Amino acid sequence: MKGNKRLTIVIKLGSSSIVDEKTREPLLSVVTLIVETAVKLRQDGHRVVIVSSGAIAVGLRRMGVGKKPKYLPTIQALAAVGQCRLIALWDSLFAHLQQPIAQILLTRNDIADRTQYRNAQNTFTELLNMGVIPIVNENDTLAVSEIKFGDNDTLSAITAGMVQADYLFLMTDVDCLYDKNPRTHADAQPIKVVEDISSLAADVSTSGSALGTGGMSTKIVAARLATSAGVTTVITRSSNPGNILDIVRHDQAVVQTEADSAQDRSLSSSLSSLHFECLPKPPLHTRFLPDLDPIRDRSFWLLHGLAAHGTIYIDEGAHRALISKAGLLPAGIVDVEGKFAQQEAVRIVVVLAGVSRPDPATSTPSAQPPLANSTSRSSSPQISDRFDKSKPVLVEVGRALVNYSAKEIARIKGLQSTEILGVLGYADSDYVALRSNVSLMKRERTSRPVTPSPAGGN
C-alpha cells in the first residue's frame, strides 16, 4: 500500500503449524500459504522474518522414528537431519516466487557476548535491507539446557526485539485468547486487546503439541517480552496465514484514515466514524499493545539476551538508587545466591520487608521471569494478596553484569566501598555493578484487557 510506513514483521510458526503431528508430513497447504503471505507483505514494502520450528519433527520422519526420543544426542542428531530438509522446503517454495531467503540458527551463547549480539543484529539488518527473508530457528544440534532459549516463542520475541520489529505474530491452533477454554465452554469470550498482561485473565490450558515445546502460556511470556521492547504482539490462527496480511493492511488503513481525517478538519466526527465503519473488519485475533516507553538496545540485551547465573538481593534503598540512575554499591546488598564470576549476568531481587504488598509508587511489581526457561527458585517470586508480614517479599526487578564474583560479593555485602580494599586486598571498582550494566524491568500498566470500539480499528 503506497504511502504507508514500511514495517518489520516477525512471524513465529510452531512445529504443529507446519508438520502433521501424527504423520510428520509437512503441511504443504499451510506452508505454501505462509510463503504467499510473506511475499505479499514484501510486495507491500514490509520486511519479514520467519521463526520456524520443525527441524526435529522433520528429522523424525526422514529417519523413520515413530516417537521423539529422550536421549539428547539422538534428538540433536535428528535436528541436524531435519534442519537440512526444513530449510530446503522453505527455499524451494520461496524460489517459485523469486524470493531469496537466509538461514539463521541461534543459541543463547551466540548472543551472550555483546559483540556477537551486535553482529547478529547487523546480519539481520543487512539481510532485510537486501530484501531477503531470514528463516530463524534455535540451533538444536548444539543447544543444551544451559544455552537454550527454552522454546521458539521466546526465541521469536528476542528476535523481534533484536530487529526492533513493529509486529510479532505468534501463530497457534486457536483464533485468539479466550477467558475460558473454548473447547469445553460454549460461553467462552474472546480477549481481543490486552494492555496489561499482569492482569490478564485468560485460559492457558492449551499445551504444546507432541512435536513442540511451547503452549499458550509460553506465548504470553513471549508477548510480555516483545511488548516491553515496543513490539505489537498478535496471537492468531496458524491454519489461515492470510490473517497476518489482513491484520496488517487493516491497521494501515486505520492509520491512513485517521491521518486523512486529521488533515481534512472539515470532516464531521460522524462522517469520520462512518469511514472507520466502512473498513473491513480484521480477522479474530488477540493483540498485545506495545509499551509506550520500550526497552531497547543494550538494556534489552541485558534483560533478555543473557542467562542469569545467580541472584543478588538488595534493599529498598539500593533499588531506589538504581531507579535514580545510580550504580549498585555493596552497602545496599543483603545477600547473594549462586555461583558466578566477574562480568556475568545476575538477577537483581529487591527485599521488601514488613509490608503487605509492594508500594507501586516506589517499587516494581512482581513480574514473570523475562525468560521462559529460568529455573532458579529465587527467580521472580509471586506475591500473594495475603502473607506473613514477618517474612520479606522478594521481587525480581532487573538484571546486571557484575564487577565481582559471587564469593567476593558475599564478603563485601553491606559494606562501604572504602572497605572493599581492606576485605578483599584489592578493589576493582567501588560498584558491584555500574549503572550502565544494570537494566530494570518495566513497571506493569494498570489498565485491564479491553475490547476496542469499532472506531478504534483494532
Side-chain angles (χ1 to χ4, degrees):
M1 296 175 68
K2 294 182 179 179
N4 283 318
K5 175 188 174 184
R6 183 178 72 166
L7 304 172
T8 300
I9 300 166
V10 177
I11 302 169
K12 185 269 173 180
L13 301 158
S15 298
S16 61
S17 298
I18 58 179
V19 178
D20 186 275
E21 189 171 347
K22 294 181 179 179
T23 68
R24 310 289 197 265
E25 293 178 351
L27 300 173
L28 290 177
S29 59
V30 176
V31 177
T32 300
L33 288 173
I34 293 166
V35 168
E36 292 178 355
T37 297
V39 171
K40 287 178 181 177
L41 289 168
R42 287 282 305 119
Q43 291 170 345
D44 282 356
H46 306 309
R47 312 192 317 170
V48 180
V49 178
I50 294 176
V51 178
S52 170
S53 302
I56 295 173
V58 173
L60 288 170
R61 175 171 173 77
R62 180 70 180 91
M63 300 307 296
V65 179
K67 185 178 180 181
K68 184 177 177 180
K70 295 182 179 180
Y71 186 50
L72 179 60
T74 304
I75 295 173
Q76 292 174 320
L78 289 169
V81 172
Q83 186 61 36
C84 293
R85 297 181 71 84
L86 181 63
I87 198 66
L89 173 63
W90 284 116
D91 192 43
S92 63
L93 293 175
F94 274 110
H96 288 294
L97 299 176
Q98 302 297 310
Q99 173 60 54
I101 67 167
Q103 175 178 252
I104 297 181
L105 300 177
L106 294 172
T107 66
R108 186 169 297 285
N109 263 8
D110 296 324
I111 60 174
D113 178 77
R114 177 64 177 166
T115 300
Q116 290 178 244
Y117 180 86
R118 291 302 303 270
N119 287 342
Q121 270 189 319
N122 293 338
T123 299
F124 273 115
T125 299
E126 193 62 26
L127 287 170
L128 294 173
N129 288 342
M130 293 167 63
V132 175
I133 295 180
I135 309 291
V136 183
N137 196 2
E138 183 154 19
N139 193 346
D140 291 314
T141 301
L142 300 178
V144 293
S145 59
E146 289 81 4
I147 61 173
K148 283 181 71 67
F149 290 100
D151 57 81
N152 272 7
D153 292 322
T154 300
L155 173 59
S156 68
I158 291 176
T159 300
M162 189 183 297
V163 301
Q164 298 189 4
D166 299 281
Y167 285 92
L168 168 61
F169 284 89
L170 299 172
M171 311 303 287
T172 186
D173 60 351
V174 293
D175 292 306
C176 62
L177 286 177
Y178 290 86
D179 58 353
K180 303 175 185 176
N181 190 333
R183 296 185 179 92
T184 56
H185 295 83
D187 61 340
Q189 296 297 311
I191 300 174
K192 295 184 179 180
V193 177
V194 177
E195 291 187 16
D196 177 17
I197 297 178
S198 66
S199 62
L200 177 62
D203 175 76
V204 294
S205 59
T206 304
S207 61
S209 70
L211 299 176
T213 58
M216 195 57 74
S217 61
T218 66
K219 288 173 176 55
I220 293 176
V221 172
R224 180 190 299 275
L225 193 161
T227 54
S228 73
V231 182
T232 298
T233 304
V234 175
I235 290 177
T236 189
R237 186 178 289 275
S238 60
S239 59
N240 189 2
N243 286 356
I244 299 170
L245 193 64
D246 292 340
I247 292 168
V248 171
R249 286 180 173 175
H250 174 270
D251 288 358
Q252 293 206 310
V254 169
V255 171
Q256 188 62 51
T257 300
E258 289 175 340
D260 292 344
S261 299
Q263 288 181 357
D264 190 353
R265 301 185 183 279
S266 63
L267 287 175
S268 65
S269 59
S270 59
L271 185 57
S272 178
S273 297
L274 182 61
H275 284 181
F276 281 113
E277 292 173 2
C278 290
L279 293 175
K281 292 188 179 299
L284 187 60
H285 64 282
T286 295
R287 176 186 306 254
F288 296 83
L289 299 184
D291 198 300
L292 298 178
D293 182 23
I295 299 170
R296 291 257 168 93
D297 300 325
R298 184 175 176 82
S299 292
F300 183 83
W301 171 71
L302 284 169
L303 272 179
H304 305 299
L306 301 176
H309 294 271
T311 304
I312 290 177
Y313 298 91
I314 64 173
D315 60 30
E316 294 177 75
H319 183 215
R320 285 192 294 270
L322 291 175
I323 293 174
S324 301
K325 304 299 183 181
L328 178 58
L329 295 167
I333 296 177
V334 176
D335 203 357
V336 61
E337 182 179 72
K339 297 179 180 180
F340 53 86
Q342 294 179 12
Q343 296 305 308
E344 287 192 328
V346 299
R347 301 176 192 87
I348 301 175
V349 173
V350 62
V351 179
L352 302 167
V355 293
S356 59
R357 64 173 59 246
D359 182 354
T362 60
S363 62
T364 305
S366 178
Q368 294 293 334
L371 302 171
N373 62 334
S374 295
T375 57
S376 169
R377 62 184 173 85
S378 64
S379 176
S380 190
Q382 296 297 305
I383 299 176
S384 61
D385 288 338
R386 296 177 182 177
F387 58 90
D388 187 346
K389 290 184 180 181
S390 65
K391 296 180 180 179
V393 180
L394 308 179
V395 184
E396 183 179 353
V397 295
R399 297 286 174 95
L401 286 177
V402 291
N403 294 325
Y404 294 96
S405 69
K407 289 183 178 180
E408 291 168 331
I409 295 173
R411 295 176 63 189
I412 63 175
K413 65 181 182 183
L415 302 180
Q416 298 297 314
S417 297
T418 54
E419 299 177 272
I420 295 176
L421 180 61
V423 173
L424 298 181
Y426 52 88
D428 292 339
S429 173
D430 289 343
Y431 295 93
V432 169
L434 299 174
R435 187 58 181 86
S436 60
N437 286 334
V438 174
S439 182
L440 299 179
M441 296 175 183
K442 302 294 294 186
R443 294 176 179 141
E444 303 287 357
R445 282 175 286 201
T446 57
S447 53
R448 296 190 62 81
V450 296
T451 299
S453 64
N458 295 331

